[in-house]
Amino acid sequence: SQTIHQWPATLVQPVGSPLSLECTVEGTSNPNLYWYRQAAGRGLQLLFYSVGIGQISSEVPQNLSASRPQDRQFILSSKKLLLSDSGFYLCAWTRGLGEGTQYFGPGTRLTVL
Amino acid sequence: SQKIEQNSEALNIQEGKTATLTCNYTNYSPAYLQWYRQDPGRGPVFLLLIRENEKEKRKERLKVTFDTTLKQSLFHITASQPADSATYLCAPTGPSGGYNKLIFGAGTRLAVHP
């Protein structure tokens, strides 16, 4: 069976500090991978998606970046965090040729102070 | 631009009643529509998918309808239980194959009271 991991589960960072969130998927090959952010009481905002190693598409211009160094690893980064980067970050995967049903990780709660 | 509307106000119902949640979309024609459940502090969990050529789909106490003319989906939970309390998200989706980008509605929070 497939599983998706995210870490850390919670993170408190000062403004201006760097960020690195990691997501890994087990039990499948060549998944499509996604990063979402959810502000408190709000819907899911798609940040980045990837259909393969080194292939990253950005949906929303901001001070975040994503990388996919391995087939089942997806990393979200920032060089300098802003207060507005606070939120709940979710990683998700889909089968490349499937109907797009997404399987979400447990999420990372980021608070920027 | 593509837009998805779900009731922003919470839906409060009594245990045992049927809950009905609405999802309206504009400016695109999805090949199918998905519903997810999200509990506080957790990632969404897939519940049901209905294709454009299906009028209705059922799974246990859940029922989804899809009206491509009205551009609307209804999500029903029959014999609701307090454990059904959560936020429910809809996601109209494009054709399958290759990359599939889901756009989620903001969700409707359901509260089932004993």
Side-chain angles (χ1 to χ4, degrees), chain B residues 39-76:
Chain B
D39 291 285
R42 309 287 290 271
V45 174
F46 170 74
L47 295 175
L48 276 172
L49 179 151
I50 185 166
R51 297 178 180 82
E52 59 180 340
N53 61 350
E54 298 175 315
K55 294 293 184 185
E56 182 180 297
K57 198 82 168 277
R58 291 176 184 263
K59 179 182 177 183
E60 299 174 350
R61 295 184 296 111
L62 308 180
K63 185 180 83 170
V64 173
T65 63
F66 192 14
D67 189 326
T68 56
T69 301
L70 292 178
K71 294 187 180 295
Q72 180 182 77
S73 176
L74 299 179
F75 179 81
H76 307 271

PDB file of all heavy atoms in Angstrom, chain B residues 39-76:
ATOM      1  N   ASP B  39     -10.790  16.769   8.440  1.00  0.00           N
ATOM      2  CA  ASP B  39     -10.944  16.995   9.873  1.00  0.00           C
ATOM      3  C   ASP B  39      -9.922  18.042  10.313  1.00  0.00           C
ATOM      4  O   ASP B  39      -8.872  18.207   9.672  1.00  0.00           O
ATOM      5  CB  ASP B  39     -10.742  15.684  10.625  1.00  0.00           C
ATOM      6  CG  ASP B  39     -11.874  14.708  10.364  1.00  0.00           C
ATOM      7  OD1 ASP B  39     -12.958  14.946  10.928  1.00  0.00           O
ATOM      8  OD2 ASP B  39     -11.698  13.759   9.584  1.00  0.00           O
ATOM      9  N   PRO B  40     -10.203  18.751  11.412  1.00  0.00           N
ATOM     10  CA  PRO B  40      -9.281  19.821  11.861  1.00  0.00           C
ATOM     11  C   PRO B  40      -7.866  19.302  12.047  1.00  0.00           C
ATOM     12  O   PRO B  40      -7.639  18.267  12.664  1.00  0.00           O
ATOM     13  CB  PRO B  40      -9.907  20.258  13.189  1.00  0.00           C
ATOM     14  CG  PRO B  40     -11.349  19.940  13.051  1.00  0.00           C
ATOM     15  CD  PRO B  40     -11.408  18.673  12.252  1.00  0.00           C
ATOM     16  N   GLY B  41      -6.906  20.023  11.469  1.00  0.00           N
ATOM     17  CA  GLY B  41      -5.507  19.667  11.637  1.00  0.00           C
ATOM     18  C   GLY B  41      -5.061  18.455  10.840  1.00  0.00           C
ATOM     19  O   GLY B  41      -3.958  17.952  11.069  1.00  0.00           O
ATOM     20  N   ARG B  42      -5.888  17.989   9.914  1.00  0.00           N
ATOM     21  CA  ARG B  42      -5.538  16.811   9.117  1.00  0.00           C
ATOM     22  C   ARG B  42      -5.645  17.142   7.637  1.00  0.00           C
ATOM     23  O   ARG B  42      -6.260  18.128   7.218  1.00  0.00           O
ATOM     24  CB  ARG B  42      -6.514  15.660   9.425  1.00  0.00           C
ATOM     25  CG  ARG B  42      -6.701  15.346  10.882  1.00  0.00           C
ATOM     26  CD  ARG B  42      -5.494  14.659  11.474  1.00  0.00           C
ATOM     27  NE  ARG B  42      -5.319  13.316  10.981  1.00  0.00           N
ATOM     28  CZ  ARG B  42      -5.865  12.234  11.523  1.00  0.00           C
ATOM     29  NH1 ARG B  42      -6.668  12.354  12.551  1.00  0.00           N
ATOM     30  NH2 ARG B  42      -5.626  11.037  11.009  1.00  0.00           N
ATOM     31  N   GLY B  43      -5.035  16.312   6.800  1.00  0.00           N
ATOM     32  CA  GLY B  43      -5.173  16.463   5.370  1.00  0.00           C
ATOM     33  C   GLY B  43      -6.510  15.931   4.893  1.00  0.00           C
ATOM     34  O   GLY B  43      -7.105  15.075   5.539  1.00  0.00           O
ATOM     35  N   PRO B  44      -7.001  16.422   3.766  1.00  0.00           N
ATOM     36  CA  PRO B  44      -8.272  15.914   3.218  1.00  0.00           C
ATOM     37  C   PRO B  44      -8.167  14.433   2.863  1.00  0.00           C
ATOM     38  O   PRO B  44      -7.098  13.944   2.492  1.00  0.00           O
ATOM     39  CB  PRO B  44      -8.478  16.765   1.965  1.00  0.00           C
ATOM     40  CG  PRO B  44      -7.664  18.001   2.189  1.00  0.00           C
ATOM     41  CD  PRO B  44      -6.478  17.535   2.979  1.00  0.00           C
ATOM     42  N   VAL B  45      -9.305  13.771   2.963  1.00  0.00           N
ATOM     43  CA  VAL B  45      -9.391  12.351   2.623  1.00  0.00           C
ATOM     44  C   VAL B  45     -10.439  12.177   1.533  1.00  0.00           C
ATOM     45  O   VAL B  45     -11.564  12.685   1.666  1.00  0.00           O
ATOM     46  CB  VAL B  45      -9.755  11.506   3.861  1.00  0.00           C
ATOM     47  CG1 VAL B  45      -9.982  10.048   3.469  1.00  0.00           C
ATOM     48  CG2 VAL B  45      -8.666  11.608   4.911  1.00  0.00           C
ATOM     49  N   PHE B  46     -10.081  11.460   0.495  1.00  0.00           N
ATOM     50  CA  PHE B  46     -10.985  11.231  -0.626  1.00  0.00           C
ATOM     51  C   PHE B  46     -12.195  10.410  -0.194  1.00  0.00           C
ATOM     52  O   PHE B  46     -12.055   9.417   0.531  1.00  0.00           O
ATOM     53  CB  PHE B  46     -10.240  10.508  -1.744  1.00  0.00           C
ATOM     54  CG  PHE B  46     -11.117  10.003  -2.846  1.00  0.00           C
ATOM     55  CD1 PHE B  46     -11.656  10.883  -3.763  1.00  0.00           C
ATOM     56  CD2 PHE B  46     -11.414   8.661  -2.955  1.00  0.00           C
ATOM     57  CE1 PHE B  46     -12.467  10.424  -4.779  1.00  0.00           C
ATOM     58  CE2 PHE B  46     -12.216   8.191  -3.966  1.00  0.00           C
ATOM     59  CZ  PHE B  46     -12.757   9.070  -4.885  1.00  0.00           C
ATOM     60  N   LEU B  47     -13.394  10.837  -0.672  1.00  0.00           N
ATOM     61  CA  LEU B  47     -14.615  10.115  -0.360  1.00  0.00           C
ATOM     62  C   LEU B  47     -15.237   9.477  -1.602  1.00  0.00           C
ATOM     63  O   LEU B  47     -15.460   8.278  -1.650  1.00  0.00           O
ATOM     64  CB  LEU B  47     -15.640  11.062   0.281  1.00  0.00           C
ATOM     65  CG  LEU B  47     -15.278  11.638   1.636  1.00  0.00           C
ATOM     66  CD1 LEU B  47     -16.333  12.639   2.077  1.00  0.00           C
ATOM     67  CD2 LEU B  47     -15.122  10.536   2.679  1.00  0.00           C
ATOM     68  N   LEU B  48     -15.546  10.314  -2.588  1.00  0.00           N
ATOM     69  CA  LEU B  48     -16.290   9.829  -3.753  1.00  0.00           C
ATOM     70  C   LEU B  48     -15.879  10.592  -4.995  1.00  0.00           C
ATOM     71  O   LEU B  48     -15.532  11.771  -4.920  1.00  0.00           O
ATOM     72  CB  LEU B  48     -17.798  10.040  -3.558  1.00  0.00           C
ATOM     73  CG  LEU B  48     -18.595   9.001  -2.775  1.00  0.00           C
ATOM     74  CD1 LEU B  48     -20.006   9.519  -2.538  1.00  0.00           C
ATOM     75  CD2 LEU B  48     -18.641   7.679  -3.520  1.00  0.00           C
ATOM     76  N   LEU B  49     -15.976   9.918  -6.126  1.00  0.00           N
ATOM     77  CA  LEU B  49     -15.756  10.545  -7.428  1.00  0.00           C
ATOM     78  C   LEU B  49     -16.943  10.219  -8.306  1.00  0.00           C
ATOM     79  O   LEU B  49     -17.406   9.074  -8.343  1.00  0.00           O
ATOM     80  CB  LEU B  49     -14.463   9.996  -8.049  1.00  0.00           C
ATOM     81  CG  LEU B  49     -14.067  10.510  -9.442  1.00  0.00           C
ATOM     82  CD1 LEU B  49     -12.549  10.468  -9.574  1.00  0.00           C
ATOM     83  CD2 LEU B  49     -14.694   9.696 -10.554  1.00  0.00           C
ATOM     84  N   ILE B  50     -17.454  11.219  -9.014  1.00  0.00           N
ATOM     85  CA  ILE B  50     -18.558  11.004  -9.950  1.00  0.00           C
ATOM     86  C   ILE B  50     -18.162  11.577 -11.294  1.00  0.00           C
ATOM     87  O   ILE B  50     -17.616  12.682 -11.383  1.00  0.00           O
ATOM     88  CB  ILE B  50     -19.866  11.635  -9.408  1.00  0.00           C
ATOM     89  CG1 ILE B  50     -21.036  11.292 -10.339  1.00  0.00           C
ATOM     90  CG2 ILE B  50     -19.734  13.130  -9.190  1.00  0.00           C
ATOM     91  CD1 ILE B  50     -22.394  11.591  -9.712  1.00  0.00           C
ATOM     92  N   ARG B  51     -18.412  10.813 -12.361  1.00  0.00           N
ATOM     93  CA  ARG B  51     -18.038  11.231 -13.702  1.00  0.00           C
ATOM     94  C   ARG B  51     -19.160  12.031 -14.351  1.00  0.00           C
ATOM     95  O   ARG B  51     -20.319  11.954 -13.955  1.00  0.00           O
ATOM     96  CB  ARG B  51     -17.685  10.014 -14.541  1.00  0.00           C
ATOM     97  CG  ARG B  51     -16.474   9.253 -14.012  1.00  0.00           C
ATOM     98  CD  ARG B  51     -16.152   8.014 -14.833  1.00  0.00           C
ATOM     99  NE  ARG B  51     -14.987   7.320 -14.292  1.00  0.00           N
ATOM    100  CZ  ARG B  51     -15.032   6.478 -13.267  1.00  0.00           C
ATOM    101  NH1 ARG B  51     -16.186   6.218 -12.670  1.00  0.00           N
ATOM    102  NH2 ARG B  51     -13.932   5.910 -12.837  1.00  0.00           N
ATOM    103  N   GLU B  52     -18.845  12.738 -15.402  1.00  0.00           N
ATOM    104  CA  GLU B  52     -19.813  13.640 -16.032  1.00  0.00           C
ATOM    105  C   GLU B  52     -20.983  12.889 -16.644  1.00  0.00           C
ATOM    106  O   GLU B  52     -22.060  13.457 -16.814  1.00  0.00           O
ATOM    107  CB  GLU B  52     -19.139  14.491 -17.099  1.00  0.00           C
ATOM    108  CG  GLU B  52     -18.485  13.722 -18.223  1.00  0.00           C
ATOM    109  CD  GLU B  52     -17.832  14.627 -19.255  1.00  0.00           C
ATOM    110  OE1 GLU B  52     -18.187  15.817 -19.321  1.00  0.00           O
ATOM    111  OE2 GLU B  52     -16.942  14.133 -19.974  1.00  0.00           O
ATOM    112  N   ASN B  53     -20.787  11.614 -16.978  1.00  0.00           N
ATOM    113  CA  ASN B  53     -21.879  10.841 -17.572  1.00  0.00           C
ATOM    114  C   ASN B  53     -22.667  10.059 -16.519  1.00  0.00           C
ATOM    115  O   ASN B  53     -23.536   9.259 -16.855  1.00  0.00           O
ATOM    116  CB  ASN B  53     -21.344   9.883 -18.633  1.00  0.00           C
ATOM    117  CG  ASN B  53     -20.358   8.884 -18.071  1.00  0.00           C
ATOM    118  OD1 ASN B  53     -19.927   9.011 -16.918  1.00  0.00           O
ATOM    119  ND2 ASN B  53     -20.002   7.893 -18.845  1.00  0.00           N
ATOM    120  N   GLU B  54     -22.372  10.304 -15.249  1.00  0.00           N
ATOM    121  CA  GLU B  54     -23.102   9.670 -14.149  1.00  0.00           C
ATOM    122  C   GLU B  54     -23.976  10.712 -13.468  1.00  0.00           C
ATOM    123  O   GLU B  54     -23.513  11.807 -13.170  1.00  0.00           O
ATOM    124  CB  GLU B  54     -22.139   9.064 -13.129  1.00  0.00           C
ATOM    125  CG  GLU B  54     -21.258   7.962 -13.707  1.00  0.00           C
ATOM    126  CD  GLU B  54     -20.231   7.469 -12.688  1.00  0.00           C
ATOM    127  OE1 GLU B  54     -19.602   8.318 -12.019  1.00  0.00           O
ATOM    128  OE2 GLU B  54     -20.057   6.237 -12.587  1.00  0.00           O
ATOM    129  N   LYS B  55     -25.195  10.356 -13.225  1.00  0.00           N
ATOM    130  CA  LYS B  55     -26.100  11.292 -12.544  1.00  0.00           C
ATOM    131  C   LYS B  55     -25.970  11.188 -11.035  1.00  0.00           C
ATOM    132  O   LYS B  55     -26.151  12.172 -10.319  1.00  0.00           O
ATOM    133  CB  LYS B  55     -27.546  11.001 -12.954  1.00  0.00           C
ATOM    134  CG  LYS B  55     -27.822  11.282 -14.422  1.00  0.00           C
ATOM    135  CD  LYS B  55     -27.726  12.771 -14.718  1.00  0.00           C
ATOM    136  CE  LYS B  55     -28.106  13.054 -16.155  1.00  0.00           C
ATOM    137  NZ  LYS B  55     -27.917  14.480 -16.506  1.00  0.00           N
ATOM    138  N   GLU B  56     -25.691   9.983 -10.568  1.00  0.00           N
ATOM    139  CA  GLU B  56     -25.701   9.741  -9.138  1.00  0.00           C
ATOM    140  C   GLU B  56     -24.689   8.640  -8.791  1.00  0.00           C
ATOM    141  O   GLU B  56     -24.467   7.722  -9.563  1.00  0.00           O
ATOM    142  CB  GLU B  56     -27.113   9.299  -8.723  1.00  0.00           C
ATOM    143  CG  GLU B  56     -27.317   9.045  -7.259  1.00  0.00           C
ATOM    144  CD  GLU B  56     -28.752   8.621  -6.990  1.00  0.00           C
ATOM    145  OE1 GLU B  56     -29.671   9.421  -7.234  1.00  0.00           O
ATOM    146  OE2 GLU B  56     -28.946   7.476  -6.524  1.00  0.00           O
ATOM    147  N   LYS B  57     -24.085   8.785  -7.605  1.00  0.00           N
ATOM    148  CA  LYS B  57     -23.150   7.778  -7.115  1.00  0.00           C
ATOM    149  C   LYS B  57     -23.403   7.585  -5.635  1.00  0.00           C
ATOM    150  O   LYS B  57     -23.617   8.563  -4.913  1.00  0.00           O
ATOM    151  CB  LYS B  57     -21.720   8.268  -7.337  1.00  0.00           C
ATOM    152  CG  LYS B  57     -20.638   7.206  -7.278  1.00  0.00           C
ATOM    153  CD  LYS B  57     -20.532   6.496  -8.583  1.00  0.00           C
ATOM    154  CE  LYS B  57     -19.286   5.645  -8.667  1.00  0.00           C
ATOM    155  NZ  LYS B  57     -18.108   6.444  -9.056  1.00  0.00           N
ATOM    156  N   ARG B  58     -23.349   6.321  -5.193  1.00  0.00           N
ATOM    157  CA  ARG B  58     -23.594   6.047  -3.776  1.00  0.00           C
ATOM    158  C   ARG B  58     -22.464   5.225  -3.179  1.00  0.00           C
ATOM    159  O   ARG B  58     -21.833   4.425  -3.850  1.00  0.00           O
ATOM    160  CB  ARG B  58     -24.902   5.266  -3.610  1.00  0.00           C
ATOM    161  CG  ARG B  58     -26.160   6.045  -3.937  1.00  0.00           C
ATOM    162  CD  ARG B  58     -27.391   5.150  -3.847  1.00  0.00           C
ATOM    163  NE  ARG B  58     -28.605   5.853  -4.245  1.00  0.00           N
ATOM    164  CZ  ARG B  58     -29.454   6.427  -3.373  1.00  0.00           C
ATOM    165  NH1 ARG B  58     -29.216   6.356  -2.078  1.00  0.00           N
ATOM    166  NH2 ARG B  58     -30.526   7.053  -3.815  1.00  0.00           N
ATOM    167  N   LYS B  59     -22.252   5.481  -1.899  1.00  0.00           N
ATOM    168  CA  LYS B  59     -21.283   4.695  -1.137  1.00  0.00           C
ATOM    169  C   LYS B  59     -21.743   4.710   0.319  1.00  0.00           C
ATOM    170  O   LYS B  59     -21.659   5.728   0.993  1.00  0.00           O
ATOM    171  CB  LYS B  59     -19.878   5.282  -1.248  1.00  0.00           C
ATOM    172  CG  LYS B  59     -18.832   4.521  -0.455  1.00  0.00           C
ATOM    173  CD  LYS B  59     -17.472   5.215  -0.582  1.00  0.00           C
ATOM    174  CE  LYS B  59     -16.429   4.516   0.271  1.00  0.00           C
ATOM    175  NZ  LYS B  59     -15.119   5.227   0.205  1.00  0.00           N
ATOM    176  N   GLU B  60     -22.284   3.577   0.726  1.00  0.00           N
ATOM    177  CA  GLU B  60     -22.809   3.449   2.094  1.00  0.00           C
ATOM    178  C   GLU B  60     -23.829   4.559   2.355  1.00  0.00           C
ATOM    179  O   GLU B  60     -24.829   4.661   1.656  1.00  0.00           O
ATOM    180  CB  GLU B  60     -21.652   3.448   3.090  1.00  0.00           C
ATOM    181  CG  GLU B  60     -20.711   2.274   2.865  1.00  0.00           C
ATOM    182  CD  GLU B  60     -19.465   2.329   3.754  1.00  0.00           C
ATOM    183  OE1 GLU B  60     -19.234   3.360   4.402  1.00  0.00           O
ATOM    184  OE2 GLU B  60     -18.730   1.332   3.780  1.00  0.00           O
ATOM    185  N   ARG B  61     -23.593   5.435   3.329  1.00  0.00           N
ATOM    186  CA  ARG B  61     -24.564   6.500   3.627  1.00  0.00           C
ATOM    187  C   ARG B  61     -24.354   7.764   2.797  1.00  0.00           C
ATOM    188  O   ARG B  61     -25.053   8.764   2.992  1.00  0.00           O
ATOM    189  CB  ARG B  61     -24.473   6.846   5.123  1.00  0.00           C
ATOM    190  CG  ARG B  61     -24.892   5.714   6.054  1.00  0.00           C
ATOM    191  CD  ARG B  61     -24.872   6.149   7.525  1.00  0.00           C
ATOM    192  NE  ARG B  61     -23.527   6.492   7.973  1.00  0.00           N
ATOM    193  CZ  ARG B  61     -23.134   7.723   8.269  1.00  0.00           C
ATOM    194  NH1 ARG B  61     -23.974   8.743   8.138  1.00  0.00           N
ATOM    195  NH2 ARG B  61     -21.908   7.934   8.702  1.00  0.00           N
ATOM    196  N   LEU B  62     -23.429   7.726   1.877  1.00  0.00           N
ATOM    197  CA  LEU B  62     -23.110   8.894   1.068  1.00  0.00           C
ATOM    198  C   LEU B  62     -23.741   8.789  -0.312  1.00  0.00           C
ATOM    199  O   LEU B  62     -23.806   7.710  -0.895  1.00  0.00           O
ATOM    200  CB  LEU B  62     -21.593   9.040   0.910  1.00  0.00           C
ATOM    201  CG  LEU B  62     -20.752   9.030   2.178  1.00  0.00           C
ATOM    202  CD1 LEU B  62     -19.278   9.196   1.828  1.00  0.00           C
ATOM    203  CD2 LEU B  62     -21.210  10.108   3.141  1.00  0.00           C
ATOM    204  N   LYS B  63     -24.208   9.924  -0.806  1.00  0.00           N
ATOM    205  CA  LYS B  63     -24.736   9.986  -2.162  1.00  0.00           C
ATOM    206  C   LYS B  63     -24.307  11.293  -2.804  1.00  0.00           C
ATOM    207  O   LYS B  63     -24.383  12.353  -2.171  1.00  0.00           O
ATOM    208  CB  LYS B  63     -26.261   9.895  -2.179  1.00  0.00           C
ATOM    209  CG  LYS B  63     -26.847   9.825  -3.594  1.00  0.00           C
ATOM    210  CD  LYS B  63     -28.361   9.730  -3.578  1.00  0.00           C
ATOM    211  CE  LYS B  63     -29.008  11.078  -3.441  1.00  0.00           C
ATOM    212  NZ  LYS B  63     -30.485  11.033  -3.657  1.00  0.00           N
ATOM    213  N   VAL B  64     -23.838  11.215  -4.038  1.00  0.00           N
ATOM    214  CA  VAL B  64     -23.422  12.399  -4.769  1.00  0.00           C
ATOM    215  C   VAL B  64     -24.188  12.462  -6.072  1.00  0.00           C
ATOM    216  O   VAL B  64     -24.367  11.446  -6.740  1.00  0.00           O
ATOM    217  CB  VAL B  64     -21.900  12.371  -5.069  1.00  0.00           C
ATOM    218  CG1 VAL B  64     -21.521  13.519  -5.980  1.00  0.00           C
ATOM    219  CG2 VAL B  64     -21.106  12.435  -3.787  1.00  0.00           C
ATOM    220  N   THR B  65     -24.631  13.658  -6.430  1.00  0.00           N
ATOM    221  CA  THR B  65     -25.239  13.886  -7.744  1.00  0.00           C
ATOM    222  C   THR B  65     -24.403  14.904  -8.496  1.00  0.00           C
ATOM    223  O   THR B  65     -23.682  15.715  -7.893  1.00  0.00           O
ATOM    224  CB  THR B  65     -26.684  14.374  -7.616  1.00  0.00           C
ATOM    225  OG1 THR B  65     -26.683  15.646  -6.952  1.00  0.00           O
ATOM    226  CG2 THR B  65     -27.539  13.380  -6.864  1.00  0.00           C
ATOM    227  N   PHE B  66     -24.505  14.859  -9.818  1.00  0.00           N
ATOM    228  CA  PHE B  66     -23.680  15.718 -10.675  1.00  0.00           C
ATOM    229  C   PHE B  66     -24.538  16.182 -11.836  1.00  0.00           C
ATOM    230  O   PHE B  66     -24.952  15.370 -12.669  1.00  0.00           O
ATOM    231  CB  PHE B  66     -22.482  14.911 -11.173  1.00  0.00           C
ATOM    232  CG  PHE B  66     -21.387  15.704 -11.837  1.00  0.00           C
ATOM    233  CD1 PHE B  66     -21.319  17.086 -11.746  1.00  0.00           C
ATOM    234  CD2 PHE B  66     -20.392  15.046 -12.540  1.00  0.00           C
ATOM    235  CE1 PHE B  66     -20.303  17.796 -12.337  1.00  0.00           C
ATOM    236  CE2 PHE B  66     -19.363  15.753 -13.138  1.00  0.00           C
ATOM    237  CZ  PHE B  66     -19.311  17.118 -13.045  1.00  0.00           C
ATOM    238  N   ASP B  67     -24.862  17.461 -11.858  1.00  0.00           N
ATOM    239  CA  ASP B  67     -25.686  18.031 -12.921  1.00  0.00           C
ATOM    240  C   ASP B  67     -24.819  18.979 -13.726  1.00  0.00           C
ATOM    241  O   ASP B  67     -24.554  20.108 -13.304  1.00  0.00           O
ATOM    242  CB  ASP B  67     -26.894  18.761 -12.308  1.00  0.00           C
ATOM    243  CG  ASP B  67     -27.905  19.177 -13.357  1.00  0.00           C
ATOM    244  OD1 ASP B  67     -27.496  19.517 -14.490  1.00  0.00           O
ATOM    245  OD2 ASP B  67     -29.109  19.174 -13.051  1.00  0.00           O
ATOM    246  N   THR B  68     -24.365  18.513 -14.900  1.00  0.00           N
ATOM    247  CA  THR B  68     -23.456  19.325 -15.707  1.00  0.00           C
ATOM    248  C   THR B  68     -24.167  20.495 -16.368  1.00  0.00           C
ATOM    249  O   THR B  68     -23.504  21.453 -16.766  1.00  0.00           O
ATOM    250  CB  THR B  68     -22.779  18.458 -16.783  1.00  0.00           C
ATOM    251  OG1 THR B  68     -23.784  17.820 -17.562  1.00  0.00           O
ATOM    252  CG2 THR B  68     -21.891  17.412 -16.143  1.00  0.00           C
ATOM    253  N   THR B  69     -25.494  20.425 -16.468  1.00  0.00           N
ATOM    254  CA  THR B  69     -26.249  21.554 -17.020  1.00  0.00           C
ATOM    255  C   THR B  69     -26.315  22.687 -16.016  1.00  0.00           C
ATOM    256  O   THR B  69     -26.076  23.857 -16.345  1.00  0.00           O
ATOM    257  CB  THR B  69     -27.666  21.115 -17.416  1.00  0.00           C
ATOM    258  OG1 THR B  69     -27.575  20.070 -18.390  1.00  0.00           O
ATOM    259  CG2 THR B  69     -28.451  22.282 -17.998  1.00  0.00           C
ATOM    260  N   LEU B  70     -26.610  22.340 -14.774  1.00  0.00           N
ATOM    261  CA  LEU B  70     -26.660  23.339 -13.709  1.00  0.00           C
ATOM    262  C   LEU B  70     -25.274  23.687 -13.196  1.00  0.00           C
ATOM    263  O   LEU B  70     -25.117  24.664 -12.454  1.00  0.00           O
ATOM    264  CB  LEU B  70     -27.506  22.813 -12.539  1.00  0.00           C
ATOM    265  CG  LEU B  70     -29.003  22.652 -12.782  1.00  0.00           C
ATOM    266  CD1 LEU B  70     -29.670  22.075 -11.537  1.00  0.00           C
ATOM    267  CD2 LEU B  70     -29.631  23.992 -13.149  1.00  0.00           C
ATOM    268  N   LYS B  71     -24.271  22.880 -13.567  1.00  0.00           N
ATOM    269  CA  LYS B  71     -22.909  23.043 -13.043  1.00  0.00           C
ATOM    270  C   LYS B  71     -22.928  22.964 -11.513  1.00  0.00           C
ATOM    271  O   LYS B  71     -22.416  23.845 -10.804  1.00  0.00           O
ATOM    272  CB  LYS B  71     -22.297  24.353 -13.522  1.00  0.00           C
ATOM    273  CG  LYS B  71     -22.066  24.397 -15.031  1.00  0.00           C
ATOM    274  CD  LYS B  71     -21.307  25.654 -15.439  1.00  0.00           C
ATOM    275  CE  LYS B  71     -21.077  25.715 -16.930  1.00  0.00           C
ATOM    276  NZ  LYS B  71     -20.191  24.632 -17.422  1.00  0.00           N
ATOM    277  N   GLN B  72     -23.504  21.856 -11.060  1.00  0.00           N
ATOM    278  CA  GLN B  72     -23.693  21.710  -9.628  1.00  0.00           C
ATOM    279  C   GLN B  72     -23.572  20.246  -9.217  1.00  0.00           C
ATOM    280  O   GLN B  72     -23.992  19.342  -9.940  1.00  0.00           O
ATOM    281  CB  GLN B  72     -25.083  22.230  -9.239  1.00  0.00           C
ATOM    282  CG  GLN B  72     -25.403  22.139  -7.763  1.00  0.00           C
ATOM    283  CD  GLN B  72     -26.806  22.626  -7.467  1.00  0.00           C
ATOM    284  OE1 GLN B  72     -27.789  21.930  -7.700  1.00  0.00           O
ATOM    285  NE2 GLN B  72     -26.896  23.846  -6.954  1.00  0.00           N
ATOM    286  N   SER B  73     -23.014  20.052  -8.019  1.00  0.00           N
ATOM    287  CA  SER B  73     -23.008  18.739  -7.401  1.00  0.00           C
ATOM    288  C   SER B  73     -23.602  18.860  -6.008  1.00  0.00           C
ATOM    289  O   SER B  73     -23.351  19.840  -5.302  1.00  0.00           O
ATOM    290  CB  SER B  73     -21.586  18.188  -7.308  1.00  0.00           C
ATOM    291  OG  SER B  73     -21.559  16.954  -6.618  1.00  0.00           O
ATOM    292  N   LEU B  74     -24.401  17.870  -5.633  1.00  0.00           N
ATOM    293  CA  LEU B  74     -24.951  17.795  -4.286  1.00  0.00           C
ATOM    294  C   LEU B  74     -24.375  16.573  -3.597  1.00  0.00           C
ATOM    295  O   LEU B  74     -24.274  15.502  -4.206  1.00  0.00           O
ATOM    296  CB  LEU B  74     -26.474  17.700  -4.330  1.00  0.00           C
ATOM    297  CG  LEU B  74     -27.209  18.864  -4.968  1.00  0.00           C
ATOM    298  CD1 LEU B  74     -28.716  18.610  -4.967  1.00  0.00           C
ATOM    299  CD2 LEU B  74     -26.902  20.173  -4.260  1.00  0.00           C
ATOM    300  N   PHE B  75     -24.029  16.752  -2.333  1.00  0.00           N
ATOM    301  CA  PHE B  75     -23.433  15.684  -1.522  1.00  0.00           C
ATOM    302  C   PHE B  75     -24.357  15.457  -0.341  1.00  0.00           C
ATOM    303  O   PHE B  75     -24.635  16.386   0.420  1.00  0.00           O
ATOM    304  CB  PHE B  75     -22.043  16.136  -1.063  1.00  0.00           C
ATOM    305  CG  PHE B  75     -21.315  15.161  -0.192  1.00  0.00           C
ATOM    306  CD1 PHE B  75     -20.638  14.099  -0.739  1.00  0.00           C
ATOM    307  CD2 PHE B  75     -21.292  15.330   1.182  1.00  0.00           C
ATOM    308  CE1 PHE B  75     -19.947  13.202   0.059  1.00  0.00           C
ATOM    309  CE2 PHE B  75     -20.605  14.446   1.997  1.00  0.00           C
ATOM    310  CZ  PHE B  75     -19.927  13.377   1.440  1.00  0.00           C
ATOM    311  N   HIS B  76     -24.852  14.223  -0.222  1.00  0.00           N
ATOM    312  CA  HIS B  76     -25.796  13.891   0.831  1.00  0.00           C
ATOM    313  C   HIS B  76     -25.187  12.873   1.794  1.00  0.00           C
ATOM    314  O   HIS B  76     -24.542  11.915   1.350  1.00  0.00           O
ATOM    315  CB  HIS B  76     -27.073  13.274   0.240  1.00  0.00           C
ATOM    316  CG  HIS B  76     -27.717  14.097  -0.833  1.00  0.00           C
ATOM    317  ND1 HIS B  76     -28.659  15.077  -0.564  1.00  0.00           N
ATOM    318  CD2 HIS B  76     -27.554  14.085  -2.179  1.00  0.00           C
ATOM    319  CE1 HIS B  76     -29.049  15.623  -1.710  1.00  0.00           C
ATOM    320  NE2 HIS B  76     -28.404  15.050  -2.702  1.00  0.00           N
TER     321      HIS B  76
END
